[in-house]
Amino acid sequence: MQRFKIFAYSWVITFLQLLFRSAWGIISVPVAMEFHLTSVQIGLVLTLFYVGYVISSTPWGLFIDSHGVRHAILISSLSSSFIILLIFLFPSYDVILISYLLAGFLVSALFPSSVKIVSVKLSPLYFYLGILESSAPFAVLLLSLISGLLYEYWRIFYLLLFVSLLSVFFITLFMEEEYASRKRREMRLLFTKAIILSILVRSGEMWISWGTTAWLFPFLVLYFHFSCSSLIFLLFSLGLVSSTAVSSKLPGLIGEKKVVQLSLFLYILLLFLLFLSRIVWLSFFLGVFSFSFRSPTDSMIVKFAGKENSSSSIGIANTISQVGSLLAPVSIGLAVKFSPVLGIFTLSGGAFLSLAVSFLI
């Protein structure tokens, strides 16, 4: 029961920060219509979020390994909740930009904290990381199910997120010390060839995961005019959830590296097949293989670094690899400005990069 509570806590805090950034992929549509945004302005919101996320990830990781999880989550949950509240109180494009930028600096503490808890308290690592990272697919699934409500009540979403993060703060305030690893440990060398190459693979994966999440729905609705775009996005979201079965089980059979390579290859194939053939059910498998590479890659990074440096290694990995997340939304937006088809090719670029680098590990 105690293991379940530890893991549930880690999963929820990861889920909330992913819900915040993933929501823009749907909320961007009504916001773009209300404020008459261009494709570049749509992409700029998440790009600014990842500016903050990238800059702060390594400092947060080092802080967590040195001082423990509890303080990091208390600071992050309280401050980010009030930043997000600004969107509800003063809804405008400028406020959204500023809030996403500031929130990026703050919520980047939550995922390394979850990884620290899981790596210290639970094993096997690849299994629990796979389940932990299922929080992203579940966030996208929830958003797809409430997409109709988000069109009309997107401001209320940010109010509810404020309440949720504030609740995390109060729960953490009374959290037992055993939930976190507070012991200071010496840093090992974190820039070996294997770690650097794994982080490069992760960079391309970030481009794929958050580029697809941010742009799939706008592609379907605004640019390719699919008649059943909501169904396609729902199937994609169900595929994301199902990716957990691949990422948490398959590495034990064929190894993390092969799971990563198989997922990247199938993502490329399915992305082009979906938009060329317009076969709706392909979106489910696109969802599966647009995320099944994530936890095996993170598992490799943590194993190479050692669990005593789990937060630091993930923090450094976030700093470097989230450049892919930072550049993808606005880069795809620029490509779409010339041609929607060019936007699809730009989105697939991260998969080609990661697949090529993976063979060097």
Side-chain angles (χ1 to χ4, degrees):
M1 190 63 179
Q2 188 69 8
R3 288 164 63 90
F4 173 78
K5 289 181 180 178
I6 292 171
F7 183 76
Y9 173 80
S10 304
W11 193 93
V12 168
I13 62 175
T14 303
F15 174 80
L16 289 175
Q17 65 96 359
L18 288 164
L19 190 67
F20 171 64
R21 55 169 140 163
S22 301
W24 184 246
I26 293 176
I27 290 176
S28 62
V29 174
V31 170
M33 293 177 178
E34 182 171 340
F35 297 111
H36 309 290
L37 306 183
T38 66
S39 62
V40 175
Q41 288 176 308
I42 292 172
L44 186 60
V45 172
L46 280 186
T47 293
L48 287 182
F49 171 84
Y50 286 114
V51 167
Y53 200 92
V54 165
I55 292 172
S56 60
S57 286
T58 294
W60 273 124
L62 295 172
F63 179 87
I64 293 163
D65 278 337
S66 298
H67 301 288
V69 168
R70 185 172 179 270
H71 287 142
I73 297 177
L74 285 173
I75 296 169
S76 174
S77 59
L78 181 63
S79 53
S80 63
S81 66
F82 284 99
I83 292 297
I84 292 169
L85 182 63
L86 292 176
I87 302 176
F88 170 75
L89 294 176
F90 310 104
S92 70
Y93 179 66
D94 290 339
V95 170
I96 290 171
L97 279 179
I98 294 170
S99 297
Y100 269 80
L101 172 63
L102 295 177
F105 282 99
L106 299 168
V107 300
S108 58
L110 298 180
F111 180 60
S113 296
S114 297
V115 172
K116 184 69 175 181
I117 294 170
V118 169
S119 65
V120 170
K121 296 291 184 181
L122 305 170
S123 63
L125 179 60
Y126 70 82
F127 174 78
Y128 281 102
L129 271 183
I131 304 299
L132 177 66
E133 296 196 14
S134 72
S135 54
F138 274 102
V140 176
L141 176 60
L142 174 61
L143 291 167
S144 70
L145 292 172
I146 64 172
S147 59
L149 291 173
L150 288 177
Y151 280 168
E152 298 293 330
Y153 305 107
W154 59 268
R155 295 172 182 84
I156 301 298
F157 168 80
Y158 292 108
L159 176 63
L160 294 175
L161 200 56
F162 158 74
V163 173
S164 300
L165 285 168
L166 197 59
S167 300
V168 167
F169 169 78
F170 286 111
I171 291 171
T172 307
L173 201 60
F174 300 100
M175 186 178 73
E176 295 179 19
E177 200 65 29
E178 64 175 316
Y179 281 27
S181 174
R182 297 288 305 278
K183 185 178 179 180
R184 179 186 290 271
R185 296 174 185 262
E186 292 184 7
M187 289 285 291
R188 286 168 40 185
L189 184 62
L190 295 179
F191 291 99
T192 63
K193 178 182 177 182
I195 292 177
I196 291 172
L197 291 175
S198 297
I199 291 175
L200 287 176
V201 170
R202 197 178 192 269
S203 299
E205 293 173 355
M206 293 297 101
W207 183 288
I208 297 166
S209 293
W210 301 114
T212 308
T213 301
W215 274 102
L216 180 61
F217 200 64
F219 271 143
L220 295 170
V221 176
L222 300 176
Y223 300 104
F224 287 89
H225 308 293
F226 277 66
S227 60
C228 48
S229 54
S230 295
L231 175 60
I232 291 174
F233 196 75
L234 175 60
L235 289 172
F236 171 79
S237 304
L238 291 171
L240 285 176
V241 172
S242 301
S243 70
T244 303
V246 176
S247 60
S248 62
K249 294 293 186 180
L250 200 56
L253 300 176
I254 64 174
E256 289 96 336
K257 180 179 172 180
K258 288 183 179 179
V259 173
V260 170
Q261 292 171 336
L262 177 64
S263 299
L264 290 168
F265 172 77
L266 290 175
Y267 171 84
I268 295 169
L269 180 63
L270 289 162
L271 178 66
F272 286 101
L273 279 177
L274 174 63
F275 284 96
L276 287 173
S277 68
R278 292 180 173 254
I279 299 175
V280 171
W281 57 264
L282 288 176
S283 60
F284 172 83
F285 294 100
L286 180 67
V288 171
F289 296 108
S290 67
F291 207 79
S292 55
F293 42 65
R294 278 291 309 280
S295 62
T297 303
D298 285 350
S299 179
M300 288 193 296
I301 293 170
V302 172
K303 283 182 178 179
F304 291 144
K307 68 179 182 179
E308 66 272 21
N309 294 310
S310 54
S311 289
S312 300
S313 62
I314 290 297
I316 292 170
N318 269 335
T319 295
I320 299 173
S321 65
Q322 293 287 356
V323 172
S325 305
L326 186 157
L327 294 176
V330 73
S331 297
I332 296 167
L334 286 169
V336 169
K337 193 173 182 179
F338 293 98
S339 166
V341 174
L342 181 60
I344 298 297
F345 275 96
T346 304
L347 176 58
S348 69
F352 282 107
L353 169 67
S354 294
L355 185 59
V357 174
S358 70
F359 287 98
L360 302 176
I361 299 175

